[in-house]
Amino acid sequence: MATLLIEIQTEELPPKALENLSSAFAASLFDSLKEQGFTAEDSKVTAFGAPRRIAAEVTAISERSPDKPFRQKLVPAKIGLDADGNATAALKKKMAALGIECEPSQLAVVNDGKQDQLYYDGIKPGVLLAEGLQAALDKAVKQLPIPKVMSYQLEDGRTVEFVRPVKHLVALLDDKVVDVELFGLKAGRDTRGHRFHCKAPVEITSAESYAKEMEAAKVIPSFDERRNKMVQELKDAAKRLDAEIIMPQDLVNEVTALTEWPVVYDSSFDEEFLSVPEECLILTMQQNQKYFALRDQNGKLKNRFLLVSQIEATDGGDAIRSGNARVVRARLADAKFFYDQDKLQPLESRVSGLSNVVYHNKLGTQLERSERVRKIAQQVAKKIDADPKLADRAAMLAKADLRTLMVGEFPELQGIMGEYYAEHDKEDAKVALAIREHYQPRYAGDELPSTRESLAVALADKMETLAGLFGIGQLPTGEKDPFALRRHALGVLRMLMEKELPLSLDDLIQIAMQIEMTAPGVKDTSDELRQFFSDRLRVMLKDKGYSAHEVESVIEVRPELLSDIPKRLKAVHDFMGMPEAESLAAANKRIENILKKSSGETGSEVDATLLVEPEEKALYEAISKVEPKLGADYSAGHYDAVLKELAPLKAPVDAFFDKVMVNAEDPKLKRNRLTLLNELHKAMNKVAKLSCLAS
């Protein structure tokens, strides 16, 4: 058993795809070798990924794959053998086509359930690693999740496709070169090190020495190790500057993919730029320059930042610091110019310009959309105890920053810049905050709007999108959801539930749909939208750890307010831990089936004088005893108490079904017993539909 190393050395790989490319390459290579039998039980694969290479190391590899027994189906016995047991022409032809040479007596006869079939049992010899590795390499390259394929021409004139042109191919089994080929390159042991610190070719001695020899050439080939080293150096540098580092994971991964040998330096910019909103400065540094911004211990943005180079400067980095300071100054000067220019014009004056921004070719402009959002926001505000005037004002200004220079340059700042400009215009604080927060939640786990006015505008904005696009038939299909309707729906559900708003989903859909239908071509799709929300709600609740049965039991009773659902679910979950739960759920299902078959035969109330059997009398008394307490606890929202109070009903319910004939011959008795069961059903299903919990 030996260690195998494969490295594909290329021109600079796309940084945002590098980690995925390297892990996918290693996984595919390993799976293919394992499938061919070259690996052992303790074989392990290690992925390497750097700006100019992807590689994989696999331990415990055999130089030859094992022989494999196989069974080949030939022809039916009656066709392949004559009366004397000799091979017929049909059998000889089949065997010749498959390259099989043997006597008919050596063939196995197996009945397949219909007739006897002839089979050849043979041994497929193993192959050398070079042959198996070539197949594994070809497969791995084809399966790579390449974001955009690049075509380039080889020296012999052939055109090939890969993520980037390949310069070197290394294939070593321990210290021996494996004879494979890729993109016109024969495998060897030569590769390239750091672009600046190691210009001479690097000769890899053995597979196991690859990582150390690359590090000697100023390349850390492991993506994880390089990232960890960089992050630690960033933290150390921030600590020296007595600062907190702003280090989003996406930026960390991208910079890791851009550097072979990360070296951290600090630099600075003029304090005058701190007058620009910090979100603009941070986004400029992160997006354009890949810098890491710093805050002081009070959380205020500093005029210093950290940068990651891959050059160990001989002058201590002074030239790198000053060069990056010059570059960032130009970038921040642009941001300051945009900000200063935008403030010259009130936010309200930009609203009319939204008529020049197309929202959707069937739903009109952003101005027309804003008018619909305003109307929805006003009605929602009244329902949730928000100020309708403030909600209307915020909805009118919510999209105005789309016409600003800053948002034109950085679309990620929409809403954020709207708040800054509204504050500059002396708008009400709640209006300014709602402009920022009406986009929330932007993603799963994002914060919800903090005020009732913000919630009103956020709900209106998302519901206008949902009602409008559903109304013109632009529903999400499969994995395609270009307008993020699933995310909008989950945001609406979260706001209604987590903020415990006194507004039902049905009312919200009705408000949005009625206003949206004023747009030409929009149809009433309330039922489809309601089902869409219901499907999202089921997914959302299951993700919180509740079972499908528990979720269904609560959704089936259709609580008016979604804020009730979490409390009901917790009560149901606790109820299922009670010893009486299974029996009561099964009884409830039985009651439902009886009542369905006897639709219209129940009375308005139970006649106690018609209760003749001891068991039905006992059940009636038990229901009468618990009903007042159930009603009081239910009205108070004590759902856990309601379900716990059902426990004493188990014994009388079981006895009733054991001893009492519901479908009595006397019509009056039958009607009264059905009425009793109906009363029981209503008492048991206040919190949730218990029949959904029956196994």
Side-chain angles (χ1 to χ4, degrees):
M1 308 301 285
T3 299
L4 173 70
L5 171 77
I6 296 293
E7 184 203 63
I8 302 175
Q9 195 267 312
T10 67
E11 292 183 5
E12 272 71 12
L13 294 162
K16 292 183 179 180
L18 176 59
E19 186 176 18
N20 194 26
L21 286 171
S22 63
S23 59
F25 174 70
S28 177
L29 193 71
F30 181 79
D31 289 344
S32 186
L33 291 172
K34 182 179 180 180
E35 185 181 336
Q36 295 181 69
F38 286 101
T39 61
E41 287 186 10
D42 59 344
S43 292
K44 293 181 181 178
V45 62
T46 302
F48 297 104
R52 297 192 296 157
R53 71 203 72 237
I54 55 174
E57 178 191 275
V58 187
T59 61
I61 289 289
S62 299
E63 293 189 32
R64 184 184 182 89
S65 64
D67 297 343
K68 288 184 179 180
F70 71 94
R71 169 167 281 190
Q72 173 66 52
K73 184 179 178 180
L74 300 174
V75 296
K78 62 182 180 182
I79 295 175
L81 300 174
D82 60 20
D84 298 325
N86 297 317
T88 63
L91 177 58
K92 291 177 180 178
K93 184 178 179 181
K94 181 71 174 179
M95 292 172 66
L98 295 171
I100 296 173
E101 295 181 6
C102 71
E103 295 298 322
S105 60
Q106 295 177 277
L107 299 177
V109 180
V110 180
N111 190 283
D112 62 3
K114 296 180 180 179
Q115 60 182 332
D116 288 342
Q117 297 280 356
L118 294 177
Y119 286 85
Y120 172 73
D121 291 324
I123 301 293
K124 184 178 180 180
V127 298
L128 293 174
L129 177 63
E131 182 180 340
L133 180 59
Q134 185 67 63
L137 263 178
D138 293 339
K139 184 177 180 181
V141 167
K142 287 180 182 178
Q143 290 181 340
L144 274 184
I146 299 173
K148 190 174 183 181
V149 175
M150 182 176 180
S151 298
Y152 66 99
Q153 202 168 40
L154 302 178
E155 290 183 0
D156 61 7
R158 284 185 296 152
T159 298
V160 294
E161 292 184 340
F162 194 51
V163 59
R164 291 292 184 269
V166 178
K167 299 298 185 182
H168 297 87
L169 176 65
V170 175
L172 296 175
L173 186 66
D174 283 346
D175 59 351
K176 297 175 183 176
V177 174
V178 184
D179 186 18
V180 290
E181 184 179 328
L182 203 61
F183 302 116
L185 296 172
K186 286 190 173 295
R189 61 176 75 248
D190 288 346
T191 185
R192 288 284 175 178
H194 193 284
R195 185 180 290 278
F196 305 111
H197 290 309
C198 181
K199 295 189 176 182
V202 177
E203 186 178 277
I204 305 300
T205 308
S206 70
E208 291 183 341
S209 65
Y210 172 72
K212 288 184 178 180
E213 290 177 339
M214 289 310 303
E215 286 184 29
K218 297 296 184 181
V219 175
I220 302 175
S222 168
F223 192 95
D224 290 340
E225 288 181 18
R226 198 165 63 256
R227 176 169 52 196
N228 293 341
K229 177 181 183 293
M230 183 187 78
V231 168
Q232 188 57 54
E233 288 192 11
L234 285 167
K235 290 179 178 178
D236 291 343
K239 189 176 181 179
R240 288 194 299 272
L241 296 170
D242 193 27
E244 298 290 334
I245 188 169
I246 301 172
M247 195 163 46
Q249 193 60 47
D250 286 348
L251 180 61
V252 169
N253 289 341
E254 187 173 359
V255 175
T256 302
L258 286 167
T259 54
E260 294 180 317
W261 188 260
V263 183
V264 175
Y265 298 95
D266 65 278
S267 189
S268 62
F269 55 86
D270 296 340
E271 285 193 26
E272 65 173 299
F273 293 121
L274 292 176
S275 63
V276 179
E278 66 170 32
E279 291 90 345
C280 306
L281 303 180
I282 293 170
L283 193 61
T284 298
M285 286 189 280
Q286 290 179 349
Q287 197 172 86
N288 293 326
Q289 300 305 128
K290 314 305 176 191
Y291 295 157
F292 294 87
L294 297 169
R295 296 186 192 277
D296 62 23
Q297 296 303 322
N298 296 318
K300 186 179 178 182
L301 191 69
K302 292 172 71 73
N303 66 320
R304 299 188 71 83
F305 60 89
L306 299 177
L307 62 104
V308 181
S309 173
Q310 58 174 354
I311 297 176
E312 289 184 344
T314 55
D315 63 353
D318 291 342
I320 291 175
R321 290 185 178 90
S322 60
N324 280 277
R326 286 196 302 273
V327 171
V328 79
R329 177 181 175 79
R331 291 289 190 180
L332 298 183
D334 287 344
K336 188 174 188 305
F337 173 77
F338 294 149
Y339 183 57
D340 291 340
Q341 289 296 114
D342 285 341
K343 288 191 296 181
L344 296 176
Q345 188 177 344
L347 195 60
E348 184 177 5
S349 68
R350 300 179 186 276
V351 173
S352 60
L354 294 174
S355 62
N356 299 318
V357 181
V358 176
Y359 166 58
H360 192 285
N361 60 357
K362 292 184 180 179
L363 295 171
T365 65
Q366 278 287 4
L367 181 61
E368 291 170 319
R369 178 175 185 262
S370 291
E371 290 300 315
R372 295 193 293 269
V373 172
R374 289 178 65 182
K375 292 175 182 177
I376 298 172
Q378 288 177 49
Q379 293 196 39
V380 171
K382 293 174 184 176
K383 296 275 189 180
I384 65 172
D385 301 323
D387 187 324
K389 291 183 179 178
L390 294 180
D392 175 60
R393 181 73 177 172
M396 182 186 77
L397 298 174
K399 305 297 181 185
D401 65 357
L402 296 177
R403 301 293 296 168
T404 63
L405 293 172
M406 187 68 82
V407 173
E409 180 71 14
F410 297 112
E412 299 90 343
L413 294 176
Q414 54 190 285
I416 295 171
M417 295 313 303
E419 180 187 34
Y420 281 109
Y421 297 140
E423 288 174 343
H424 177 265
D425 297 341
K426 308 300 183 187
E427 294 284 349
D428 188 286
K430 288 185 176 180
V431 170
L433 184 61
I435 293 172
R436 174 192 282 259
E437 292 188 336
H438 87 279
Y439 286 103
Q440 295 173 207
R442 298 177 185 84
Y443 49 85
D446 189 20
E447 291 183 4
L448 299 180
S450 59
T451 69
R452 288 294 169 110
E453 288 72 24
S454 295
L455 286 163
V457 182
L459 285 169
D461 185 66
K462 289 171 175 57
M463 287 304 301
E464 192 282 334
T465 300
L466 286 159
L469 291 167
F470 265 72
I472 59 172
Q474 292 277 344
L475 281 66
T477 56
E479 295 182 359
K480 293 183 179 180
D481 188 8
F483 298 101
L485 298 186
R486 294 186 180 94
R487 177 164 55 80
H488 284 319
L490 289 172
V492 170
L493 292 171
R494 279 191 62 201
M495 285 187 275
L496 292 176
M497 290 173 64
E498 295 176 30
K499 291 294 182 177
E500 299 186 353
L501 299 180
L503 173 63
S504 72
L505 180 60
D506 285 345
D507 284 349
L508 185 58
I509 291 173
Q510 184 180 13
I511 291 169
M513 194 57 74
Q514 284 180 348
I515 291 171
E516 201 64 27
M517 286 170 63
T518 60
V522 176
K523 298 179 181 178
D524 185 355
T525 53
S526 299
D527 291 340
E528 292 90 335
L529 190 52
R530 196 174 291 110
Q531 184 60 48
F532 183 71
F533 271 110
S534 184
D535 293 341
R536 302 282 75 70
L537 180 59
R538 285 178 170 87
V539 172
M540 185 171 129
L541 296 174
K542 288 174 188 175
D543 287 344
K544 290 182 180 292
Y546 294 104
S547 72
H549 293 307
E550 290 169 345
V551 170
E552 208 61 37
S553 71
V554 172
I555 290 180
E556 278 293 315
V557 297
R558 298 192 66 177
E560 183 178 359
L561 298 179
L562 294 187
S563 56
D564 257 4
I565 288 179
K567 292 183 286 187
R568 290 176 186 253
L569 268 173
K570 184 182 181 304
V572 168
H573 185 73
D574 293 343
F575 169 74
M576 290 304 293
M578 294 167 51
E580 300 87 356
E582 188 175 343
S583 178
L584 287 171
N588 194 272
K589 190 171 185 178
R590 185 174 180 181
I591 293 167
E592 274 186 17
N593 292 333
I594 292 171
L595 293 175
K596 281 179 185 177
K597 293 177 182 177
S598 309
S599 179
E601 294 186 52
T602 57
S604 57
E605 60 181 51
V606 177
D607 186 346
T609 63
L610 292 175
L611 299 171
V612 295
E613 300 292 343
E615 290 78 14
E616 60 183 328
K617 290 179 181 179
L619 180 57
Y620 176 67
E621 289 174 5
I623 296 172
S624 301
K625 186 176 180 180
V626 301
E627 263 189 335
K629 179 68 173 164
L630 287 176
D633 283 335
Y634 182 76
S635 299
H638 300 154
Y639 301 130
D640 52 346
V642 172
L643 292 177
K644 286 177 183 176
E645 283 150 11
L646 296 178
L649 294 177
K650 177 186 181 303
V653 168
D654 290 345
F656 177 87
F657 281 119
D658 284 343
K659 301 293 184 180
V660 179
M661 176 68 71
V662 177
N663 294 319
E665 293 183 6
D666 186 336
K668 291 182 179 179
L669 287 179
K670 178 182 178 181
R671 181 181 177 84
N672 200 51
R673 288 170 182 171
L674 289 171
T675 304
L676 178 63
L677 289 180
N678 193 43
E679 289 294 313
L680 175 62
H681 188 262
K682 287 189 289 185
M684 294 175 73
N685 291 277
K686 289 180 179 293
V687 175
K689 188 175 180 180
L690 298 190
S691 60
C692 294
L693 303 171
S695 55

